[in-house]
Amino acid sequence: MLDLTSKSYWNQRAIEYGAKLDCVLVDHRADRHQKLVEAILEPYRGLSVLDVACGYGRFSPMFKHYTGIDFCPEMINLAKNKYPDKRFLEAKDIDETFDVIFAVISMSSLQMKPEEFNAKWKDKANKAVMVFEVDTFYIYPKL
């Protein structure tokens, strides 16, 4: 069984991602998912955002004030090389707040439920915490 929380697993995936970063996306389901996430995030383009488990930073071009974190050093290296004008950090305790915090991930990789993710990050978000799981989105606006 794969350990989706191990750095060695994600470092290997980073090598695979790196080989495919400039390929044409042929998975139409993934393309629709990407477009839907982008449409939901569109109103936040000018705000400060934190992308948790950012991988290679595929959403970073959308935002003016973007920070991406990931626990996989190889993913961070890929992101920094692909988007050198954006901010990428290895995951750690973040000592700052953001307007929006989001994750586009399988929650099994994080080993937490969306509600737990919201509870962990809500005090660092001024406007919303968003979790975009493979087929289910959870949005927690600050009302």
Tab-separated table of all heavy atoms in Angstrom, residues 10 13-23 25 30 34 38 51-61 66 68-70 72-84 86-88 104:
chain	number	residue	atom	x	y	z
A	10	TRP	N	6.320	11.462	-2.452
A	10	TRP	CA	6.080	12.708	-3.178
A	10	TRP	C	7.329	13.216	-3.887
A	10	TRP	O	7.234	13.856	-4.933
A	10	TRP	CB	5.466	13.764	-2.249
A	10	TRP	CG	4.047	13.394	-1.961
A	10	TRP	CD1	3.544	12.885	-0.797
A	10	TRP	CD2	2.953	13.434	-2.882
A	10	TRP	NE1	2.206	12.611	-0.934
A	10	TRP	CE2	1.813	12.938	-2.201
A	10	TRP	CE3	2.821	13.823	-4.205
A	10	TRP	CZ2	0.565	12.827	-2.801
A	10	TRP	CZ3	1.561	13.722	-4.805
A	10	TRP	CH2	0.458	13.232	-4.108
A	13	ARG	N	7.152	11.355	-7.049
A	13	ARG	CA	6.099	11.954	-7.890
A	13	ARG	C	6.576	13.268	-8.493
A	13	ARG	O	6.247	13.601	-9.619
A	13	ARG	CB	4.827	12.203	-7.073
A	13	ARG	CG	4.044	10.975	-6.674
A	13	ARG	CD	3.390	10.236	-7.842
A	13	ARG	NE	2.528	11.040	-8.662
A	13	ARG	CZ	1.214	11.197	-8.481
A	13	ARG	NH1	0.609	10.579	-7.503
A	13	ARG	NH2	0.523	11.958	-9.293
A	14	ALA	N	7.376	14.027	-7.738
A	14	ALA	CA	7.901	15.300	-8.250
A	14	ALA	C	8.763	15.056	-9.480
A	14	ALA	O	8.701	15.822	-10.446
A	14	ALA	CB	8.702	16.014	-7.166
A	15	ILE	N	9.544	14.003	-9.451
A	15	ILE	CA	10.382	13.678	-10.610
A	15	ILE	C	9.492	13.373	-11.813
A	15	ILE	O	9.730	13.849	-12.919
A	15	ILE	CB	11.314	12.492	-10.273
A	15	ILE	CG1	12.330	12.930	-9.215
A	15	ILE	CG2	12.006	11.963	-11.529
A	15	ILE	CD1	13.078	11.795	-8.551
A	16	GLU	N	8.407	12.618	-11.580
A	16	GLU	CA	7.468	12.312	-12.660
A	16	GLU	C	6.775	13.575	-13.154
A	16	GLU	O	6.625	13.785	-14.359
A	16	GLU	CB	6.426	11.302	-12.172
A	16	GLU	CG	7.005	9.949	-11.836
A	16	GLU	CD	6.037	9.074	-11.055
A	16	GLU	OE1	4.838	9.421	-10.964
A	16	GLU	OE2	6.486	8.051	-10.516
A	17	TYR	N	6.326	14.446	-12.233
A	17	TYR	CA	5.681	15.701	-12.617
A	17	TYR	C	6.636	16.556	-13.432
A	17	TYR	O	6.252	17.168	-14.416
A	17	TYR	CB	5.272	16.514	-11.386
A	17	TYR	CG	4.016	16.089	-10.689
A	17	TYR	CD1	3.782	16.472	-9.379
A	17	TYR	CD2	3.043	15.329	-11.312
A	17	TYR	CE1	2.636	16.099	-8.710
A	17	TYR	CE2	1.884	14.946	-10.647
A	17	TYR	CZ	1.694	15.337	-9.344
A	17	TYR	OH	0.562	14.980	-8.688
A	18	GLY	N	7.877	16.608	-12.989
A	18	GLY	CA	8.862	17.439	-13.673
A	18	GLY	C	9.026	17.062	-15.125
A	18	GLY	O	9.198	17.917	-15.988
A	19	ALA	N	8.920	15.784	-15.409
A	19	ALA	CA	9.046	15.316	-16.789
A	19	ALA	C	7.819	15.688	-17.618
A	19	ALA	O	7.882	15.722	-18.837
A	19	ALA	CB	9.258	13.811	-16.808
A	20	LYS	N	6.693	15.975	-16.976
A	20	LYS	CA	5.437	16.218	-17.684
A	20	LYS	C	4.962	17.667	-17.617
A	20	LYS	O	3.915	17.983	-18.148
A	20	LYS	CB	4.336	15.333	-17.089
A	20	LYS	CG	4.604	13.856	-17.212
A	20	LYS	CD	3.516	13.071	-16.503
A	20	LYS	CE	3.817	11.603	-16.531
A	20	LYS	NZ	2.845	10.825	-15.764
A	21	LEU	N	5.709	18.549	-16.977
A	21	LEU	CA	5.195	19.896	-16.719
A	21	LEU	C	4.786	20.656	-17.975
A	21	LEU	O	3.856	21.442	-17.941
A	21	LEU	CB	6.218	20.724	-15.947
A	21	LEU	CG	6.255	20.460	-14.453
A	21	LEU	CD1	7.303	21.341	-13.789
A	21	LEU	CD2	4.920	20.680	-13.815
A	22	ASP	N	5.472	20.449	-19.057
A	22	ASP	CA	5.169	21.218	-20.255
A	22	ASP	C	4.376	20.428	-21.292
A	22	ASP	O	4.247	20.846	-22.428
A	22	ASP	CB	6.466	21.754	-20.873
A	22	ASP	CG	7.121	22.772	-19.958
A	22	ASP	OD1	6.382	23.605	-19.391
A	22	ASP	OD2	8.342	22.727	-19.796
A	23	CYS	N	3.833	19.277	-20.893
A	23	CYS	CA	3.049	18.490	-21.832
A	23	CYS	C	1.632	19.058	-21.927
A	23	CYS	O	1.199	19.825	-21.089
A	23	CYS	CB	3.016	17.022	-21.428
A	23	CYS	SG	2.020	16.685	-19.966
A	25	LEU	N	-2.253	18.847	-21.546
A	25	LEU	CA	-3.160	18.110	-20.666
A	25	LEU	C	-4.179	17.364	-21.526
A	25	LEU	O	-4.915	17.970	-22.296
A	25	LEU	CB	-3.866	19.084	-19.721
A	25	LEU	CG	-4.797	18.484	-18.694
A	25	LEU	CD1	-4.019	17.559	-17.750
A	25	LEU	CD2	-5.450	19.588	-17.890
A	30	ALA	N	-9.598	16.116	-15.639
A	30	ALA	CA	-8.686	16.988	-14.896
A	30	ALA	C	-8.755	18.412	-15.430
A	30	ALA	O	-8.697	19.370	-14.664
A	30	ALA	CB	-7.254	16.450	-14.969
A	34	GLN	N	-9.717	21.633	-13.262
A	34	GLN	CA	-8.831	22.799	-13.211
A	34	GLN	C	-9.610	24.080	-13.528
A	34	GLN	O	-9.504	25.078	-12.822
A	34	GLN	CB	-7.684	22.621	-14.214
A	34	GLN	CG	-6.792	23.830	-14.362
A	34	GLN	CD	-5.549	23.775	-13.513
A	34	GLN	OE1	-5.211	22.745	-12.966
A	34	GLN	NE2	-4.876	24.895	-13.410
A	38	GLU	N	-10.332	27.238	-11.039
A	38	GLU	CA	-9.919	28.589	-11.455
A	38	GLU	C	-11.094	29.560	-11.436
A	38	GLU	O	-10.952	30.708	-11.009
A	38	GLU	CB	-9.289	28.546	-12.835
A	38	GLU	CG	-7.912	27.914	-12.839
A	38	GLU	CD	-7.328	27.747	-14.232
A	38	GLU	OE1	-8.034	28.009	-15.234
A	38	GLU	OE2	-6.165	27.334	-14.315
A	51	ASP	N	-1.600	28.607	-0.864
A	51	ASP	CA	-1.945	27.355	-1.518
A	51	ASP	C	-1.249	26.236	-0.740
A	51	ASP	O	-0.027	26.096	-0.791
A	51	ASP	CB	-1.465	27.403	-2.968
A	51	ASP	CG	-1.796	26.167	-3.784
A	51	ASP	OD1	-2.349	25.201	-3.234
A	51	ASP	OD2	-1.476	26.190	-4.996
A	52	VAL	N	-2.024	25.460	0.019
A	52	VAL	CA	-1.484	24.386	0.852
A	52	VAL	C	-1.347	23.127	0.003
A	52	VAL	O	-2.275	22.769	-0.719
A	52	VAL	CB	-2.401	24.122	2.069
A	52	VAL	CG1	-1.881	22.962	2.896
A	52	VAL	CG2	-2.535	25.382	2.911
A	53	ALA	N	-0.204	22.477	0.100
A	53	ALA	CA	0.109	21.311	-0.733
A	53	ALA	C	0.102	21.735	-2.199
A	53	ALA	O	-0.558	21.135	-3.046
A	53	ALA	CB	-0.836	20.150	-0.458
A	54	CYS	N	0.857	22.783	-2.483
A	54	CYS	CA	0.829	23.446	-3.788
A	54	CYS	C	1.425	22.624	-4.918
A	54	CYS	O	1.215	22.939	-6.085
A	54	CYS	CB	1.538	24.787	-3.710
A	54	CYS	SG	3.318	24.663	-3.404
A	55	GLY	N	2.180	21.571	-4.589
A	55	GLY	CA	2.802	20.793	-5.656
A	55	GLY	C	3.742	21.667	-6.465
A	55	GLY	O	4.553	22.404	-5.910
A	56	TYR	N	3.606	21.632	-7.786
A	56	TYR	CA	4.492	22.437	-8.630
A	56	TYR	C	3.952	23.850	-8.885
A	56	TYR	O	4.488	24.582	-9.698
A	56	TYR	CB	4.804	21.715	-9.943
A	56	TYR	CG	3.603	21.480	-10.828
A	56	TYR	CD1	3.188	22.448	-11.736
A	56	TYR	CD2	2.896	20.294	-10.764
A	56	TYR	CE1	2.089	22.236	-12.544
A	56	TYR	CE2	1.796	20.072	-11.578
A	56	TYR	CZ	1.411	21.044	-12.465
A	56	TYR	OH	0.318	20.841	-13.278
A	57	GLY	N	2.898	24.240	-8.174
A	57	GLY	CA	2.424	25.625	-8.227
A	57	GLY	C	1.527	25.969	-9.391
A	57	GLY	O	1.462	27.125	-9.805
A	58	ARG	N	0.778	25.006	-9.885
A	58	ARG	CA	-0.015	25.234	-11.100
A	58	ARG	C	-1.005	26.383	-11.001
A	58	ARG	O	-1.387	26.956	-12.014
A	58	ARG	CB	-0.729	23.963	-11.524
A	58	ARG	CG	-1.813	23.513	-10.571
A	58	ARG	CD	-2.437	22.226	-11.031
A	58	ARG	NE	-3.285	21.701	-9.975
A	58	ARG	CZ	-4.274	20.882	-10.194
A	58	ARG	NH1	-4.551	20.490	-11.412
A	58	ARG	NH2	-4.989	20.441	-9.186
A	59	PHE	N	-1.447	26.749	-9.794
A	59	PHE	CA	-2.397	27.852	-9.664
A	59	PHE	C	-1.710	29.192	-9.413
A	59	PHE	O	-2.369	30.231	-9.398
A	59	PHE	CB	-3.418	27.555	-8.551
A	59	PHE	CG	-4.335	26.420	-8.887
A	59	PHE	CD1	-4.117	25.160	-8.371
A	59	PHE	CD2	-5.391	26.605	-9.763
A	59	PHE	CE1	-4.945	24.100	-8.703
A	59	PHE	CE2	-6.230	25.552	-10.105
A	59	PHE	CZ	-5.999	24.292	-9.578
A	60	SER	N	-0.426	29.196	-9.219
A	60	SER	CA	0.284	30.433	-8.869
A	60	SER	C	0.158	31.553	-9.901
A	60	SER	O	0.064	32.720	-9.512
A	60	SER	CB	1.758	30.151	-8.562
A	60	SER	OG	2.446	29.696	-9.700
A	61	PRO	N	0.130	31.272	-11.204
A	61	PRO	CA	0.023	32.380	-12.164
A	61	PRO	C	-1.253	33.211	-12.029
A	61	PRO	O	-1.303	34.356	-12.466
A	61	PRO	CB	0.064	31.676	-13.532
A	61	PRO	CG	0.771	30.399	-13.277
A	61	PRO	CD	0.347	29.995	-11.882
A	66	TYR	N	0.846	35.517	-4.039
A	66	TYR	CA	0.721	34.062	-3.902
A	66	TYR	C	1.848	33.497	-3.049
A	66	TYR	O	3.019	33.854	-3.222
A	66	TYR	CB	0.785	33.424	-5.289
A	66	TYR	CG	0.794	31.912	-5.282
A	66	TYR	CD1	-0.383	31.191	-5.392
A	66	TYR	CD2	1.984	31.206	-5.178
A	66	TYR	CE1	-0.385	29.793	-5.385
A	66	TYR	CE2	2.002	29.815	-5.177
A	66	TYR	CZ	0.818	29.119	-5.289
A	66	TYR	OH	0.827	27.750	-5.283
A	68	GLY	N	2.896	29.467	-1.904
A	68	GLY	CA	2.593	28.051	-1.981
A	68	GLY	C	3.468	27.297	-0.995
A	68	GLY	O	4.659	27.587	-0.884
A	69	ILE	N	2.862	26.358	-0.270
A	69	ILE	CA	3.653	25.517	0.632
A	69	ILE	C	3.414	24.054	0.287
A	69	ILE	O	2.332	23.665	-0.152
A	69	ILE	CB	3.352	25.767	2.128
A	69	ILE	CG1	1.896	25.461	2.473
A	69	ILE	CG2	3.742	27.176	2.530
A	69	ILE	CD1	1.609	25.473	3.977
A	70	ASP	N	4.453	23.260	0.486
A	70	ASP	CA	4.359	21.828	0.264
A	70	ASP	C	5.393	21.170	1.161
A	70	ASP	O	6.429	21.771	1.442
A	70	ASP	CB	4.639	21.480	-1.201
A	70	ASP	CG	4.056	20.138	-1.600
A	70	ASP	OD1	4.577	19.099	-1.145
A	70	ASP	OD2	3.074	20.128	-2.358
A	72	CYS	N	7.010	18.507	0.392
A	72	CYS	CA	7.942	17.796	-0.476
A	72	CYS	C	8.963	18.778	-1.071
A	72	CYS	O	8.614	19.612	-1.903
A	72	CYS	CB	7.159	17.107	-1.583
A	72	CYS	SG	8.185	16.316	-2.797
A	73	PRO	N	10.230	18.683	-0.657
A	73	PRO	CA	11.243	19.609	-1.169
A	73	PRO	C	11.385	19.577	-2.690
A	73	PRO	O	11.619	20.622	-3.317
A	73	PRO	CB	12.535	19.137	-0.496
A	73	PRO	CG	12.122	18.307	0.651
A	73	PRO	CD	10.776	17.746	0.317
A	74	GLU	N	11.226	18.410	-3.296
A	74	GLU	CA	11.365	18.326	-4.756
A	74	GLU	C	10.235	19.069	-5.470
A	74	GLU	O	10.451	19.663	-6.521
A	74	GLU	CB	11.424	16.870	-5.212
A	74	GLU	CG	12.715	16.174	-4.834
A	74	GLU	CD	13.952	16.855	-5.422
A	74	GLU	OE1	13.921	17.301	-6.581
A	74	GLU	OE2	14.955	16.946	-4.697
A	75	MET	N	9.024	19.024	-4.905
A	75	MET	CA	7.915	19.786	-5.494
A	75	MET	C	8.200	21.288	-5.393
A	75	MET	O	7.957	22.032	-6.336
A	75	MET	CB	6.590	19.454	-4.805
A	75	MET	CG	6.016	18.129	-5.173
A	75	MET	SD	5.469	18.073	-6.893
A	75	MET	CE	4.630	16.508	-6.880
A	76	ILE	N	8.701	21.717	-4.262
A	76	ILE	CA	9.033	23.131	-4.089
A	76	ILE	C	10.093	23.553	-5.105
A	76	ILE	O	10.002	24.627	-5.715
A	76	ILE	CB	9.478	23.420	-2.637
A	76	ILE	CG1	8.303	23.219	-1.671
A	76	ILE	CG2	10.077	24.812	-2.492
A	76	ILE	CD1	7.126	24.150	-1.901
A	77	ASN	N	11.099	22.716	-5.318
A	77	ASN	CA	12.131	23.027	-6.320
A	77	ASN	C	11.530	23.142	-7.716
A	77	ASN	O	11.874	24.067	-8.468
A	77	ASN	CB	13.237	21.966	-6.307
A	77	ASN	CG	14.104	22.066	-5.078
A	77	ASN	OD1	14.205	23.110	-4.446
A	77	ASN	ND2	14.730	20.959	-4.719
A	78	LEU	N	10.630	22.209	-8.069
A	78	LEU	CA	9.953	22.300	-9.367
A	78	LEU	C	9.186	23.611	-9.493
A	78	LEU	O	9.239	24.287	-10.514
A	78	LEU	CB	8.966	21.145	-9.538
A	78	LEU	CG	9.498	19.795	-9.958
A	78	LEU	CD1	8.382	18.760	-9.914
A	78	LEU	CD2	10.098	19.858	-11.337
A	79	ALA	N	8.436	23.943	-8.447
A	79	ALA	CA	7.624	25.165	-8.463
A	79	ALA	C	8.500	26.410	-8.625
A	79	ALA	O	8.197	27.292	-9.435
A	79	ALA	CB	6.801	25.252	-7.177
A	80	LYS	N	9.577	26.477	-7.856
A	80	LYS	CA	10.468	27.644	-7.938
A	80	LYS	C	11.096	27.777	-9.327
A	80	LYS	O	11.264	28.892	-9.831
A	80	LYS	CB	11.569	27.540	-6.881
A	80	LYS	CG	11.082	27.813	-5.481
A	80	LYS	CD	12.226	27.675	-4.477
A	80	LYS	CE	11.777	28.054	-3.082
A	80	LYS	NZ	12.846	27.893	-2.086
A	81	ASN	N	11.416	26.642	-9.940
A	81	ASN	CA	11.997	26.688	-11.285
A	81	ASN	C	10.973	27.077	-12.337
A	81	ASN	O	11.283	27.809	-13.271
A	81	ASN	CB	12.631	25.337	-11.644
A	81	ASN	CG	13.900	25.092	-10.870
A	81	ASN	OD1	14.610	26.022	-10.494
A	81	ASN	ND2	14.206	23.831	-10.618
A	82	LYS	N	9.764	26.594	-12.191
A	82	LYS	CA	8.723	26.891	-13.184
A	82	LYS	C	8.162	28.302	-13.023
A	82	LYS	O	7.870	28.964	-14.014
A	82	LYS	CB	7.593	25.862	-13.090
A	82	LYS	CG	6.544	26.050	-14.177
A	82	LYS	CD	5.864	24.770	-14.512
A	82	LYS	CE	4.817	24.926	-15.578
A	82	LYS	NZ	5.323	25.058	-16.916
A	83	TYR	N	8.022	28.759	-11.781
A	83	TYR	CA	7.439	30.081	-11.505
A	83	TYR	C	8.371	30.869	-10.580
A	83	TYR	O	8.067	31.059	-9.401
A	83	TYR	CB	6.056	29.918	-10.866
A	83	TYR	CG	5.107	29.076	-11.670
A	83	TYR	CD1	4.776	27.783	-11.262
A	83	TYR	CD2	4.542	29.564	-12.849
A	83	TYR	CE1	3.902	26.996	-12.012
A	83	TYR	CE2	3.678	28.778	-13.604
A	83	TYR	CZ	3.363	27.504	-13.170
A	83	TYR	OH	2.498	26.732	-13.915
A	84	PRO	N	9.497	31.334	-11.089
A	84	PRO	CA	10.492	31.985	-10.226
A	84	PRO	C	10.028	33.302	-9.597
A	84	PRO	O	10.608	33.741	-8.607
A	84	PRO	CB	11.685	32.212	-11.163
A	84	PRO	CG	11.129	32.150	-12.539
A	84	PRO	CD	9.928	31.255	-12.479
A	86	LYS	N	7.164	33.704	-8.090
A	86	LYS	CA	6.209	33.406	-7.027
A	86	LYS	C	6.939	32.896	-5.791
A	86	LYS	O	8.087	32.483	-5.851
A	86	LYS	CB	5.176	32.373	-7.489
A	86	LYS	CG	4.361	32.816	-8.700
A	86	LYS	CD	3.547	34.042	-8.414
A	86	LYS	CE	2.742	34.457	-9.635
A	86	LYS	NZ	1.985	35.673	-9.400
A	87	ARG	N	6.256	32.901	-4.666
A	87	ARG	CA	6.835	32.505	-3.379
A	87	ARG	C	6.426	31.076	-3.029
A	87	ARG	O	5.236	30.786	-2.920
A	87	ARG	CB	6.348	33.480	-2.311
A	87	ARG	CG	6.885	33.217	-0.926
A	87	ARG	CD	6.336	34.278	0.014
A	87	ARG	NE	6.791	34.055	1.367
A	87	ARG	CZ	6.034	34.243	2.435
A	87	ARG	NH1	4.786	34.683	2.319
A	87	ARG	NH2	6.501	34.037	3.632
A	88	PHE	N	7.425	30.222	-2.848
A	88	PHE	CA	7.191	28.827	-2.482
A	88	PHE	C	8.044	28.477	-1.278
A	88	PHE	O	9.229	28.803	-1.230
A	88	PHE	CB	7.541	27.891	-3.643
A	88	PHE	CG	6.666	28.083	-4.839
A	88	PHE	CD1	7.087	28.870	-5.896
A	88	PHE	CD2	5.409	27.502	-4.908
A	88	PHE	CE1	6.272	29.066	-6.998
A	88	PHE	CE2	4.591	27.693	-5.996
A	88	PHE	CZ	5.026	28.480	-7.053
A	104	VAL	N	-5.936	22.183	-3.223
A	104	VAL	CA	-6.497	21.344	-4.280
A	104	VAL	C	-5.771	20.021	-4.144
A	104	VAL	O	-4.626	19.883	-4.556
A	104	VAL	CB	-6.262	21.956	-5.671
A	104	VAL	CG1	-6.856	21.067	-6.755
A	104	VAL	CG2	-6.829	23.366	-5.747
